[in-house]
């Protein structure tokens, strides 16, 4: 971990709004800062009004380090309505949110019917297009339909394909559409060789790292800590640096530069 000293790294995806962080949210951010994590992008859950409010409080305390996004997740496509679109417009106009997300499709859990997930994704892509914001995409076993939705909406605002678990064809297609590919702690799991193989091929100027906290705690913390937190993104960055044959500092610099390209 000492490799992180003095080098800025960004956690491109962490759910710091969640109740798992209610007891020590500020300490979690301080630990991230101490580990060299200079910024954390937090996707708020539009269906729960508390979610963005919690993040706004955190932003007040750490204005340089916390960025917020908001969207209706594929899991909750059932709950999506026009009120959510109005909220996105309002928060974007006030500069509270910097991206629309996370939005997408999840054909692993299928919590909402697929056709409905697709409609809700397209509505929010259209909204992001109108607002001129990038999107944070969630895709699980749904690559071709994500690409189809982006193309059908003519969405060219780019963004992040987060917590990458799809194949190289999907990575390639999304990069062609202006997206960055964000790798989570899954990269550190022994069984994830197929994901590491894709990561090797993604050019350094398209890479991001994330924790997806409180989920997906990376190795080695995984053995002893249940809850993931942004400070642990350092482990994923170290593995990614090894795969890319880059020094840790070059990887940190590249991913931070990529993040700043999206969120100037
Ligand atoms: Zn996700
Ligand atoms: Zn997430």
């Amino acid at each position: 971990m000492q490799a992180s000293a003095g080098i800025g790294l960004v956690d491109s995806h962490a759910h710091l709004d969640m109740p798992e962080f209610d007891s020590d949210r500020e300490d979690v951010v301080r630990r991230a800062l101490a580990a060299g994590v200079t910024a954390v992008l937090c996707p708020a859950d539009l269906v729960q009004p508390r979610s963005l409010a919690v993040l706004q409080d955190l932003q007040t305390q750490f204005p340089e380090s916390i960025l917020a996004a908001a969207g209706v997740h594929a899991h909750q496509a059932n709950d999506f309505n026009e009120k959510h679109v109005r909220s996105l417009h309002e928060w974007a106009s006030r500069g509270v949110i910097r991206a629309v997300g996370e939005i997408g499709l999840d054909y692993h859990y299928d919590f909402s019917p697929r056709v409905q997930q697709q409609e809700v994704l397209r509505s929010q892509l259209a909204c992001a297009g109108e607002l001129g914001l990038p999107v944070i995409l969630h895709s699980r076993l749904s690559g071709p339909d994500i690409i189809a939705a982006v193309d059908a909406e003519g969405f060219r605002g780019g963004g992040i394909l987060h917590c990458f678990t799809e194949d190289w064809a999907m990575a390639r297609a999304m990069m062609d559409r202006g997206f960055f590919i964000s790798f989570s702690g899954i990269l550190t799991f022994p069984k994830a060789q197929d994901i590491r193989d894709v990561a090797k091929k993604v050019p350094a100027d398209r890479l991001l790292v994330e924790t997806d906290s409180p989920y997906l705690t990376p190795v080695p913390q995984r053995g002893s800590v249940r809850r993931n937190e942004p400070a642990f993104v350092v482990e994923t960055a170290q593995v990614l640096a090894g795969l890319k044959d880059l020094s840790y500092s070059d990887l940190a610099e590249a991913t931070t530069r990529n993040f700043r390209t999206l969120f100037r």
Side-chain angles (χ1 to χ4, degrees):
M1 278 267 225
Q2 58 274 56
S4 65
I7 300 154
L9 194 62
V10 173
D11 181 353
S12 79
H13 196 100
H15 296 277
L16 295 185
D17 57 310
M18 289 182 70
E20 281 85 344
F21 296 105
D22 279 355
S23 64
D24 64 347
R25 191 166 281 113
E26 290 157 31
D27 289 342
V28 164
V29 177
R30 285 191 197 99
R31 279 201 292 277
L33 293 170
V37 178
T38 54
V40 184
L41 176 60
C42 302
D45 176 357
L46 254 182
V47 174
Q48 296 196 34
R50 172 188 182 272
S51 173
L52 189 62
V54 167
L55 292 177
Q56 283 186 273
D57 278 354
L58 201 60
Q59 268 180 329
T60 309
Q61 317 230 30
F62 303 98
E64 305 293 319
S65 303
I66 301 295
L67 288 84
V72 176
H73 198 285
H75 293 335
Q76 292 155 308
N78 267 324
D79 298 318
F80 179 79
N81 60 51
E82 277 307 306
K83 190 184 73 191
H84 298 129
V85 173
R86 285 198 298 277
S87 298
L88 287 172
H89 277 266
E90 190 199 319
W91 292 329
S93 68
R94 284 168 35 208
V96 175
I97 57 166
R98 306 290 301 277
V100 173
E102 61 178 296
I103 59 176
L105 304 173
D106 194 311
Y107 295 172
H108 173 72
Y109 286 108
D110 277 325
F111 285 150
S112 298
R114 291 182 181 182
V115 172
Q116 194 174 22
Q117 292 187 43
Q118 290 158 14
E119 283 168 10
V120 170
L121 168 60
R122 286 189 57 176
S123 297
Q124 293 181 97
L125 283 169
C127 183
E130 285 167 29
L131 296 170
L133 292 180
V135 295
I136 304 165
L137 288 180
H138 170 107
S139 177
R140 192 119 185 244
L141 303 176
S142 57
D145 285 354
I146 292 270
I147 296 163
V150 167
D151 289 349
E153 285 303 324
F155 180 76
R156 291 295 174 263
I160 302 171
L161 177 58
H162 107 93
C163 192
F164 186 84
T165 56
E166 303 281 10
D167 60 10
W168 169 246
M170 173 66 168
R172 184 69 268 167
M174 295 311 287
M175 289 189 284
D176 288 345
R177 287 160 179 77
F179 280 78
F180 292 90
I181 311 295
S182 182
F183 290 92
S184 71
I186 293 176
L187 213 58
T188 70
F189 297 177
K191 282 184 188 159
Q193 192 54 46
D194 50 341
I195 308 227
R196 284 189 287 276
D197 290 342
V198 174
K200 272 184 210 170
K201 292 202 263 181
V202 175
D205 65 359
R206 291 279 124 193
L207 287 171
L208 293 170
V209 283
E210 68 174 74
T211 54
D212 207 5
S213 302
Y215 312 111
L216 301 172
T217 306
V219 176
Q221 282 89 355
R222 197 165 184 77
S224 52
V225 190
R226 271 188 69 190
R227 185 190 70 174
N228 198 4
E229 61 176 69
F232 300 162
V233 76
V234 170
E235 308 298 340
T236 300
Q238 278 170 343
V239 169
L240 189 55
L243 291 170
K244 297 300 298 173
D245 213 7
L246 291 172
S247 68
Y248 178 85
S249 59
D250 284 350
L251 189 277
E253 213 177 288
T255 51
T256 299
R257 194 185 318 119
N258 296 341
F259 187 81
R260 296 297 172 197
T261 304
L262 261 180
F263 302 106
R264 264 179 265 270

